[in-house]
Amino acid sequence: MSTLESLQHQIDELQTKLSFQDDTIEQLNRIVTKQDEIIRLMQGKFSLIGDKIQDIEAHLPNKPFNPSDEVPPHY
């Protein structure tokens, strides 16, 4: 194999690798974009849950929970 053929072969291999890398980067970009959407949706839901918990806590009596005030289930 001549030097020119060897260089051409190396260039072909590099182009093939670059093509696969481009594909992989594009796939990873789609995955990261989808995960970002999911994370943003979950953050919104967690925020709503937090707000609901705060609303519920605001409507609870202010006295702390005391287990001795509870009636056992067999009574």
Side-chain angles (χ1 to χ4, degrees), residues 49-63:
I49 290 170
D51 292 344
K52 287 183 180 187
I53 289 172
Q54 286 179 348
D55 287 345
I56 290 169
E57 287 175 342
H59 291 93
L60 291 176
N62 288 334
K63 76 176 194 174

Side-chain angles (χ1 to χ4, degrees), residues 24-74:
T24 301
I25 289 170
E26 183 59 35
Q27 289 173 6
L28 291 171
N29 186 50
R30 283 194 298 269
I31 290 168
V32 169
T33 301
K34 183 65 177 170
Q35 287 176 339
D36 183 60
E37 292 172 13
I38 291 168
I39 289 169
R40 289 176 190 272
L41 179 66
M42 289 173 65
Q43 285 174 330
K45 288 182 179 185
F46 285 140
S47 179
L48 287 174
I49 290 170
D51 292 344
K52 287 183 180 187
I53 289 172
Q54 286 179 348
D55 287 345
I56 290 169
E57 287 175 342
H59 291 93
L60 291 176
N62 288 334
K63 76 176 194 174
F65 174 73
N66 186 352
S68 65
D69 292 341
E70 293 296 309
V71 176
H74 60 276

Side-chain angles (χ1 to χ4, degrees), residues 2-36:
S2 71
T3 305
L4 183 59
E5 289 173 339
S6 175
L7 288 174
Q8 184 60 46
H9 179 71
Q10 289 175 357
I11 289 172
D12 290 343
E13 284 184 21
L14 288 172
Q15 287 175 333
T16 301
K17 287 180 181 181
L18 179 62
S19 177
F20 281 116
Q21 287 177 353
D22 285 344
D23 266 356
T24 301
I25 289 170
E26 183 59 35
Q27 289 173 6
L28 291 171
N29 186 50
R30 283 194 298 269
I31 290 168
V32 169
T33 301
K34 183 65 177 170
Q35 287 176 339
D36 183 60

